[in-house]
Amino acid sequence: MVEKKDLIKITDVTWEIPTSYREDMRVPVRIFADETLIEAALGDKSFDQAVNTATLPGLVSPVVVMPDVHQGYGFPIGGVAASRYPDGVISPGAIGYDINCGVRLLASRISLEDVRGELPDLALALDANCPSGVGVGGSVRLTTKELDKVCRQGSAWALKNNYARRDDLERTEEQGQIPGAEPSSISSRAKQRGKGQLGTLGAGNHFIEIDVVEEIFHEAAADAMGLAEGLLTVQIHCGSRGFGHQICSDYVREFQSAVKRYGIKLPDRELVCAPLNSPEGKRYKAAMACAANYAFCNRQVLAHHVRRSFDQVLAGRVPDWDLHQVYDIAHNMGKTETHIVDGEKVRVCVHRKGATRAFGPGFEGLPEVYRPFGQPVLVPGSMGTASWVLLGTEESMTKSFGSSCHGAGRVMSRRQAKREIWGQDLREKLEAQGIIIRAGSMPGLAEEAPRAYKDVDAVVDVVVRAGIAAKVARLRPVVVIKG
Amino acid sequence: MQPAFEEIEHTADWALRVRGQNLTDLFRNAALGMLSLLDIEPVPGNTESRSFELTAEDSETLLVAWLEELLFPLEVENAAVVDFQVKVLQKVQLKATIELKKIASIKKEIKAVTFNELDIRAIETGYETIIVFDV
């Protein structure tokens, strides 16, 4: 396993594992972390998985590791790897089973003080209107034809079917519609799973949370986002559900033979990949786009149900109960982007798994109102802890392929959490802190306890000190809905 | 005696170490281990029986395909495997019969069976592998 002596300290928050660490590494690994977070990551196989990732063919230097990194499968969670077109590779496992898992942030003009007494009703309404939990079907059942449309159109399908406002799409990464989606690249099993799950939260670490804006760090950007201290926001964290899981499973299995055909040798079979310009690589990319668009649409339909819940509970009780979208961002995705590498513009496929895009000011894909500031980056916490709204920076473009962290990052295994934490106790403790919890499963709640995660404030401190993100606002949870 | 399956530490996901006297035994224990993680309560009543065969290019891929086959009815049919028989033939082929019941409640979700660290190794008492589940 990688040990601390194998790391080269570049700055207080930047470390490197050089290619000399292992002879099959093609590029070095750059880690953004402070001493404490380095120690935490050395407690599992995070860095070994980053080293394994660095063996993928066609990578552009370096593999980047975020401070919220933790052990995943194949590729670490909190990793970024860019492969060069056309001869680089695309790896489904390096994007993840929950393709386009991501976070949406809605904001309001509702003061916490004005609705404190309504929070239990809001929790009930959200729980009732937003289907969650294992195997729970959605509020929208799709025919195969409609599912194909969701695959191609993403959030635009939601707009056509009255689940969205035009502003929502403008404030979504890629406007909620990744180009190149091709439903014929998807198995019938994936389609069977996708038809009944649109508009569902799922289980595990997914949640809907009402937060209050606790502190503003960048007045102008916060103003553009409609964020102000004391006002309520809502976060929605989920992805492409069983649809995306099946697509990734199908391609990880298919690529087991593709790597042999292309003579690619890998240290872990979960990293299987295919050249970007190969028929297999192109088909996976088209399938991934379908799942990504499904996920954008899924969060959009959930946002519609969140608005409906606020309407049911708050209409007539407060002057303005509307929720406007701040942004929607993916943190499991492979994106075709152009980056400057050694002074040259290079077209790459950036794999971000447990990492977000964090483009700096001036990026044309941003809505005009955000363009002077940079792309909003949403960093959810862990039920009892803060969440953050950040901005992408110019430096992130040169240091991390325009990427930043995606959350707090786990530090305790689920097995240990189950042993040490009792779900009911945790719920009572959080409620004593003024956080209303509604959860489908108490053991599931225990696995997601704040103690199982790193200190999100420390994670954010690192990305800010490293220059790859800037602070806008800190949010504090008041209602948490878990599947 | 070493357990047929045991949960091992994994930061974000679930991981099992599974053992078996032969490949059929290993595949049976892997299925029992995975189903035990899901915490399923079936609806009382009749079961539906279903038989199938799977082939793959190697034993690891066959194991992933087998476990995925057991997970698939959960979401699409709201049905869980409550009993099964499996026989691995020639290392890369299996025949199975599964008994399904509708689900009253299920507490946990497995997103996928991964190939991470999956490596079926011969040991003194038979075979062993680690299986990591994305949750």
Side-chain angles (χ1 to χ4, degrees):
Chain A
M1 278 182 71
V2 175
E3 297 176 42
K4 197 166 178 188
K5 67 175 173 54
D6 301 316
L7 309 179
I8 298 169
K9 189 172 183 176
I10 311 290
T11 72
D12 283 350
V13 289
T14 312
W15 306 69
E16 188 175 290
I17 306 174
T19 50
S20 57
Y21 172 72
R22 217 171 72 187
E23 64 180 18
D24 58 346
M25 288 173 73
R26 295 172 195 263
V27 295
V29 174
R30 179 182 296 160
I31 304 158
F32 293 109
D34 61 15
E35 292 270 355
T36 308
L37 292 166
I38 285 284
E39 294 291 347
L42 285 166
D44 66 17
K45 295 179 183 168
S46 301
F47 295 153
D48 301 271
Q49 292 186 335
V51 167
N52 288 344
T53 302
T55 69
L56 288 172
L59 286 188
V60 174
S61 179
V63 165
V64 179
V65 170
M66 294 297 163
D68 51 334
V69 68
H70 60 78
Q71 183 181 344
Y73 39 87
F75 198 95
I77 311 297
V80 180
S83 56
R84 186 190 297 261
Y85 271 90
D87 53 328
V89 294
I90 188 162
S91 171
I95 287 160
Y97 288 90
D98 199 357
I99 297 165
N100 189 6
C101 187
V103 180
R104 176 171 297 221
L105 178 65
L106 308 170
S108 78
R109 306 303 300 169
I110 306 163
S111 158
L112 172 64
E113 293 316 313
D114 288 348
V115 296
R116 200 178 279 279
E118 325 292 342
L119 291 179
D121 286 347
L122 275 174
L124 273 173
L126 288 170
D127 200 22
N129 292 330
C130 304
S132 66
V134 187
V136 174
S139 51
V140 185
R141 286 205 69 84
L142 299 167
T143 61
T144 303
K145 196 175 163 190
E146 284 302 305
L147 175 63
D148 287 355
K149 285 184 188 172
V150 171
C151 288
R152 287 201 170 94
Q153 298 169 9
S155 296
W157 182 92
L159 182 65
K160 283 179 194 157
N161 288 275
N162 302 316
Y163 293 105
R165 305 171 186 170
R166 191 158 295 282
D167 276 5
D168 298 342
L169 274 61
E170 287 166 10
R171 293 177 173 218
T172 300
E173 184 173 339
E174 303 282 2
Q175 289 74 52
Q177 187 176 12
I178 301 274
E182 179 44 63
S184 66
S185 60
I186 294 164
S187 69
S188 62
R189 284 206 156 184
K191 289 188 179 183
Q192 281 182 70
R193 292 177 75 174
K195 279 181 194 174
Q197 292 192 330
L198 192 66
T200 62
L201 189 61
N205 63 353
H206 294 161
F207 63 79
I208 294 174
E209 196 169 280
I210 303 178
D211 300 273
V212 60
V213 180
E214 198 174 53
E215 193 173 354
I216 296 291
F217 298 84
H218 189 314
E219 288 290 346
D223 198 43
M225 295 178 190
L227 297 170
E229 280 177 23
L231 301 185
L232 296 188
T233 63
V234 178
Q235 289 185 95
I236 302 167
H237 175 215
C238 64
S240 49
R241 309 286 292 108
F243 184 59
H245 309 165
Q246 188 67 49
I247 288 171
C248 186
S249 294
D250 290 340
Y251 279 93
V252 169
R253 208 166 351 141
E254 184 188 324
F255 279 22
Q256 297 296 322
S257 52
V259 285
K260 290 176 189 162
R261 275 198 297 283
Y262 293 105
I264 299 169
K265 286 195 167 50
L266 296 166
D268 186 329
R269 294 180 66 170
E270 188 62 25
L271 286 170
V272 285
C273 52
L276 285 156
N277 61 352
S278 68
E280 297 90 340
K282 286 178 182 170
R283 268 196 307 113
Y284 168 68
K285 195 136 189 295
M288 185 210 70
C290 291
N293 289 338
Y294 185 95
F296 282 131
C297 191
N298 189 36
R299 290 194 290 275
Q300 183 64 58
V301 172
L302 284 169
H304 169 80
H305 293 320
V306 169
R307 283 179 173 141
R308 209 158 53 85
S309 305
F310 271 59
D311 195 51
Q312 283 170 0
V313 176
L314 297 181
R317 298 193 192 181
V318 292
D320 180 2
W321 61 92
D322 188 46
L323 293 165
H324 69 270
Q325 183 147 318
V326 174
Y327 207 60
D328 181 298
I329 191 167
H331 54 229
N332 282 0
M333 190 86 97
K335 301 279 288 284
T336 301
E337 295 169 1
T338 300
H339 288 273
I340 307 290
V341 179
D342 298 329
E344 281 182 29
K345 278 188 179 178
V346 178
R347 195 162 160 256
V348 289
C349 175
V350 183
H351 299 69
R352 296 187 181 94
K353 183 173 169 189
T356 71
R357 196 180 68 177
F359 283 6
F363 169 52
E364 284 185 7
L366 286 174
E368 212 173 306
V369 66
Y370 294 159
R371 220 169 284 162
F373 306 109
Q375 185 210 291
V377 172
L378 308 174
V379 184
S382 49
M383 291 199 288
T385 64
S387 295
W388 286 86
V389 182
L390 308 177
L391 287 172
T393 62
E394 275 178 32
E395 273 184 88
S396 79
M397 304 309 289
T398 55
K399 290 182 170 174
S400 59
F401 298 105
S403 312
S404 189
C405 62
H406 88 306
R410 284 193 76 93
V411 71
M412 183 190 286
S413 76
R414 291 181 183 277
R415 185 164 174 258
Q416 189 183 351
K418 274 189 292 189
R419 271 199 314 262
E420 295 184 8
I421 302 161
W422 187 247
Q424 191 59 38
D425 288 349
L426 172 65
R427 180 178 170 158
E428 285 168 13
K429 198 173 163 192
L430 290 170
E431 293 198 337
Q433 292 171 34
I435 304 167
I436 298 169
I437 304 283
R438 294 196 68 86
S441 155
M442 283 300 121
L445 187 71
E447 286 184 20
E448 292 297 320
R451 260 179 66 201
Y453 285 83
K454 296 173 189 175
D455 176 357
V456 69
D457 295 343
V459 167
V460 166
D461 183 55
V462 166
V463 292
V464 171
R465 284 164 66 198
I468 59 174
K471 290 179 183 178
V472 176
R474 189 176 194 269
L475 315 176
R476 175 171 58 82
V478 290
V479 171
V480 180
I481 312 293
K482 300 282 283 185
Chain B
M1 188 176 158
Q2 292 179 313
F5 60 84
E6 58 185 321
E7 195 176 347
I8 58 174
E9 296 296 336
H10 191 290
T11 315
D13 298 309
W14 287 335
L16 292 178
R17 178 174 286 112
V18 184
R19 300 182 184 91
Q21 292 173 357
N22 50 47
L23 280 180
T24 293
D25 200 31
L26 184 84
F27 275 49
R28 183 189 302 117
N29 293 337
L32 290 171
M34 181 183 77
L35 294 170
S36 74
L37 293 171
L38 292 170
D39 200 358
I40 298 168
E41 190 186 325
V43 172
N46 294 338
T47 59
E48 183 197 326
S49 187
R50 199 174 290 171
S51 295
F52 56 84
E53 292 183 26
L54 297 172
T55 56
E57 64 182 58
D58 55 48
S59 300
E60 285 84 0
T61 308
L62 186 67
L63 179 57
V64 170
W66 158 239
L67 297 176
E68 284 181 352
E69 201 67 28
L70 302 182
L71 291 176
F72 186 70
L74 292 173
E75 279 181 15
V76 174
E77 301 172 60
N78 191 40
V81 175
V82 293
D83 199 5
F84 63 85
Q85 290 181 317
V86 61
K87 174 80 179 163
V88 178
L89 311 162
Q90 310 291 327
K91 294 187 175 181
V92 291
Q93 188 183 4
L94 68 76
K95 288 185 177 183
T97 301
I98 58 175
E99 305 294 331
L100 292 157
K101 273 190 178 184
K102 290 290 180 189
I103 297 168
S105 78
I106 176 168
K107 299 290 185 196
K108 299 292 181 63
E109 180 181 47
I110 289 178
K111 290 177 184 168
V113 185
T114 81
F115 280 84
N116 180 212
E117 297 191 41
L118 186 63
D119 181 18
I120 299 175
R121 295 181 303 113
I123 56 171
E124 204 175 317
T125 53
Y127 290 96
E128 178 185 275
T129 189
I130 288 171
I131 309 171
V132 177
F133 302 96
D134 181 23
V135 299

